[in-house]
Amino acid sequence: QSVLTQPPSVSGAPGQRVTISCTGSSSNIGAGYDVHWYQQLPGTAPKLLIYGNSNRPSGVPDRFSGSKSGTSASLAITGLQAEDEADYYCQSYDSSLSGWGVFGGGTKLTVL
Amino acid sequence: QVQLVESGGGLVKPGGSLRLSCAASGFTFSDYYMSWIRQAPGKGLEWVSYISSSGSTIYYADSVKGRFTISRDNAKNSLYLQMNSLRAEDTAVYYCARGYSPHDYWGQGTLVTVSS
């Protein structure tokens, strides 16, 4: 049970817009810690998609965007494409944990 | 280009040990923090450990503290994870990744299976 909660699955038709939420608390997202997002295509390693809440690494299409408000963050994907079908994970830091990083449980995006 | 290549995974009995390696290339290894992250079969990502660029700062997840040891050799551009007292729940693909937050490059992973 992660301290960052994501919906297990979301779906959308090609061309549509979908959002994936990442809900935390006052000890992580709500404390102002950055949220990062990763995309994991089937059978591959995760890839950094969004860093620092809303920044895209070079090469990531602008169809992907991130935002943060209060104790939650969101990943939005517009103009959905078949190749976007993947697992998506949010990540942040939690001050209540003795370790360091914490990932959300992951969200499976299905393109209908 | 940045490359991270893990090795050392395999099948090990409960209570056994294994040492994972990660060979880095395409960037100045000694300038970067490095991390290990694992993913149990069919499950999500779990952060395991990170080490600072000099090796002076190290953090572990509670689930591996006291059993796993992260280290690095900047002269060899390599990251290591010594895993002792392995348990069935340590079965996972282990990824090395550059940085500690965020992880901007990942290796392809190495599978560790703990089973009798």
Side-chain angles (χ1 to χ4, degrees), chain A:
Chain A
Q1 198 85 347
S2 176
V3 297
L4 300 179
T5 301
Q6 297 181 235
S9 64
V10 298
S11 63
Q16 284 189 332
R17 178 182 187 269
V18 297
T19 61
I20 298 172
S21 60
C22 176
T23 303
S25 66
S26 58
S27 63
N28 43 67
I29 299 174
Y33 298 114
D34 281 345
V35 177
H36 317 298
W37 291 90
Y38 302 87
Q39 177 193 58
Q40 186 175 31
L41 297 170
T44 70
K47 166 193 163 184
L48 179 64
L49 197 63
I50 297 287
Y51 68 95
N53 306 315
S54 59
N55 302 292
R56 283 186 309 276
S58 173
V60 173
D62 59 6
R63 301 186 296 105
F64 295 90
S65 63
S67 63
K68 188 181 97 166
S69 178
T71 58
S72 294
S74 289
L75 172 70
I77 310 171
T78 59
L80 206 57
Q81 300 180 3
E83 55 262 37
D84 298 333
E85 187 160 294
D87 294 323
Y88 293 85
Y89 294 90
C90 61
Q91 182 204 15
S92 188
Y93 170 77
D94 191 292
S95 60
S96 69
L97 302 175
S98 60
W100 179 256
V102 60
F103 288 95
T107 299
K108 169 68 177 177
L109 168 63
T110 300
V111 181
L112 302 170

Side-chain angles (χ1 to χ4, degrees), chain B residues 80-107:
Chain B
Y80 306 102
L81 186 67
Q82 177 67 43
M83 304 186 297
N84 299 330
S85 303
L86 283 162
R87 307 165 180 167
E89 54 264 35
D90 296 318
T91 294
V93 173
Y94 285 73
Y95 296 101
C96 77
R98 194 176 78 168
Y100 68 100
S101 187
H103 309 293
D104 58 356
Y105 288 94
W106 298 58

